[in-house]
Amino acid sequence: MTSLLNLGYVLVVFTFLAYIFISFILSAAWRQEPGTLPATTLATRHQYLILVPCVDEAAVIGTTVRALLALDFVGQIVVIDDGSQDATADIVQAIQNPRVRCLRRIAPNAQQGKGAALNFALDALRHQPTTLGPETVIGVVDADGQLTPNTFARLDRHFSDPQTAAVQLRVKMYPRFKNGLQASQDLEFFTVNNRAQLARNYWHTVGLSGNGQFFRLDAIVAALGPHPWGNALLDDYELTIKLMLHGLHISYEEHAYVSQQAVSSLKKFVRQRSRWVQGNLDCQRYLPRVLRSTTLSWRQKVGVTYFLSQPYLNLVADSLIVTITWLFWRQSWGQLTSLSAVGSFGGLLLVLAGASLLWGGTFTLDYLGDLRRHQEPPLAKRFWLSLPLWVSYVYLALFFSIVLAFARHLTHHTSWLKTSREEA
């Protein structure tokens, strides 16, 4: 029994490590240089319509809107107040600028999901012809999102390629970390996820994120209809799959990025990740269409299948770790009376801990190099020793996220487990 469990664990870990290794190789080959983008019609500046969906975002929305207004782009900012109970709408309306609008959803129609709020905004704006032109690019920025100054220049270059239907920006966390958990999230997004996205450029499976996604309005509506977003809790990846099934190309932008708040407590972290895992499970219904598709390549099918299988792989891996540890402890308990047996058991734990720390240390060094290359504020020295530990062992908290997500999914609880923001 233990041998079979060990074999299962090795297979799951091998799958994960193979994906990480391939991502590192492909991302190194596909890494963008700041000037390497299509150079056709660079003089064309697109019109941007930035949608900012909000529910009780009074702590951050004012800062976000003012930061967007400071950027050089042609277009408008549309804040969607989705039934907030705080002063979100009042703060937006107090910003006296013709480029800023506030659309309000009122109960019982409000808070039906992020996708529903975004579709509502498109419906409202579609009845105002002067708002949506033929070259309009829709952007989605979260209420805490901060774009780098070069964002729209980089986007104009991407959308100068007529084959590009959508672009996803790199994602980063605000560099003001209170603890190692927040720093580990920045490493995860800015470095690990960046490498994964660069590898997906090769596989043509770049995934949209909830923050920093941009797409051509006409192309998306022509393919998906007037309501492109679905009702999955992971609405961004649901949109990704729908675009891929229609043969629309998604590009990834490495040198312009959107920054957002990192959650500061394990409780918020578990809630946030459980929502993402449950959203992944919501997207499982697209898997048969993906596998039967004649539009997708085999590489795209493998990429989507791997992404959608992650909740199961993680659940199996974490369950095997718990089960194997319990069985080993039960079988060895009676032998732990001698000093040599205690030493053997301690040695095994050290080997396992060392193997995990190897990956944590590798990712930390890569992350520190990324911060240096992009001239970002250096990581505070007090996190240098703790960050590899957080990266190596945060999966222990993720286990609870996975269990919570499966429980909610199986009991048909589809409400949005929103994580509250902190003062910007």
Side-chain angles (χ1 to χ4, degrees):
M1 178 65 177
T2 305
S3 298
L4 289 176
L5 291 173
N6 286 333
L7 177 61
Y9 176 68
V10 168
L11 289 175
V12 172
V13 171
F14 175 80
T15 301
F16 168 74
L17 294 182
Y19 177 77
I20 292 295
F21 177 75
I22 293 171
S23 295
F24 264 78
I25 297 299
L26 293 180
S27 65
W30 211 264
R31 184 174 292 278
Q32 299 171 355
E33 295 300 327
T36 55
L37 282 174
T40 58
T41 63
L42 287 183
T44 301
R45 296 193 69 187
H46 295 80
Q47 177 186 5
Y48 292 89
L49 195 63
I50 312 300
L51 305 181
V52 187
C54 294
V55 178
D56 296 330
E57 300 287 8
V60 295
I61 190 58
T63 300
T64 297
V65 172
R66 284 187 285 271
L68 288 171
L69 286 171
L71 299 175
D72 180 22
F73 74 98
V74 178
Q76 297 184 14
I77 302 162
V78 179
V79 176
I80 310 156
D81 178 34
D82 195 20
S84 296
Q85 299 299 309
D86 64 3
T88 295
D90 295 334
I91 292 171
V92 176
Q93 291 167 349
I95 300 174
Q96 298 296 317
N97 192 297
R99 299 172 64 198
V100 178
R101 300 185 54 191
C102 183
L103 300 177
R104 304 191 69 175
R105 299 188 81 200
I106 308 298
N109 297 320
Q111 299 188 19
Q112 301 298 312
K114 184 177 178 180
L118 293 168
N119 288 330
F120 160 81
L122 287 189
D123 282 341
L125 296 169
R126 195 173 288 112
H127 292 92
Q128 303 170 20
T130 57
T131 304
L132 303 178
E135 290 295 320
T136 299
V137 173
I138 299 293
V140 179
V141 175
D142 282 352
D144 61 341
Q146 304 278 321
L147 303 180
T148 51
N150 65 337
T151 293
F152 292 100
R154 299 290 295 182
L155 288 172
D156 280 337
R157 299 191 67 167
H158 277 284
F159 286 115
S160 71
D161 181 355
Q163 299 302 314
T164 298
V167 179
Q168 174 58 49
L169 301 181
R170 191 175 186 173
V171 180
K172 195 182 185 311
M173 301 294 149
Y174 295 161
R176 303 181 294 274
F177 306 133
K178 296 179 179 178
N179 52 45
L181 175 62
Q182 290 186 314
S184 72
Q185 292 166 72
D186 194 38
L187 181 153
E188 174 192 7
F189 279 85
F190 196 60
T191 294
V192 178
N193 286 2
N194 177 62
R195 283 195 174 273
Q197 290 279 51
L198 289 171
R200 290 170 187 156
N201 256 337
Y202 175 80
W203 293 88
H204 299 290
T205 57
V206 170
L208 295 175
S209 299
N211 204 3
Q213 60 175 263
F214 292 80
F215 60 76
R216 297 181 192 272
L217 177 63
D218 285 355
I220 302 308
V221 170
L224 305 183
H227 295 159
W229 288 280
N231 59 1
L233 288 177
L234 202 63
D235 56 276
D236 44 11
Y237 199 73
E238 182 180 23
L239 182 59
T240 299
I241 296 175
K242 291 162 75 173
L243 296 182
M244 290 174 61
L245 287 171
H246 283 83
L248 297 175
H249 178 64
I250 306 172
S251 294
Y252 177 65
E253 170 52 48
E254 180 185 8
H255 294 283
Y257 36 93
V258 57
S259 295
Q260 62 190 35
Q261 283 191 5
V263 297
S264 57
S265 70
L266 281 173
K267 180 180 179 180
K268 290 182 178 180
F269 183 79
V270 169
R271 283 173 60 89
Q272 179 193 66
R273 298 310 169 95
S274 70
R275 185 181 75 238
W276 295 356
V277 174
Q278 188 177 355
N280 187 309
L281 296 174
D282 291 342
C283 293
Q284 303 287 323
R285 62 181 182 269
Y286 290 97
L287 188 56
R289 290 175 58 189
V290 168
L291 297 177
R292 292 195 305 264
S293 173
T294 57
T295 302
L296 300 179
S297 67
W298 69 268
R299 291 184 301 187
Q300 289 175 306
K301 293 180 180 180
V302 169
V304 174
T305 301
Y306 175 78
F307 185 89
L308 293 179
S309 67
Q310 285 183 353
Y312 300 97
L313 290 173
N314 291 333
L315 181 65
V316 170
D318 288 343
S319 299
L320 287 173
I321 290 173
V322 172
T323 303
I324 292 171
T325 303
W326 178 75
L327 288 174
F328 184 86
W329 179 265
R330 190 184 66 173
Q331 294 174 4
S332 304
W333 177 254
Q335 304 173 12
L336 292 180
T337 54
S338 68
L339 188 61
S340 61
V342 172
S344 298
F345 184 68
L348 176 63
L349 293 179
L350 286 175
V351 169
L352 294 175
S356 295
L357 277 176
L358 175 63
W359 283 103
T362 300
F363 287 143
T364 298
L365 291 175
D366 193 25
Y367 168 63
L368 295 175
D370 264 348
L371 294 178
R372 200 163 47 246
R373 280 190 295 272
H374 291 273
Q375 299 180 340
E376 287 293 318
L379 182 70
K381 292 182 179 180
R382 69 179 184 275
F383 297 127
W384 283 12
L385 292 178
S386 64
L387 186 55
L389 294 170
W390 277 104
V391 174
S392 300
Y393 302 118
V394 76
Y395 66 85
L396 296 174
L398 289 176
F399 177 71
F400 297 101
S401 299
I402 295 168
V403 172
L404 177 60
F406 271 94
R408 287 176 55 84
H409 183 72
L410 293 174
T411 55
H412 306 290
H413 284 78
T414 58
S415 59
W416 185 275
L417 286 178
K418 185 179 182 298
T419 48
S420 58
R421 319 276 189 198
E422 298 178 5
E423 196 76 31

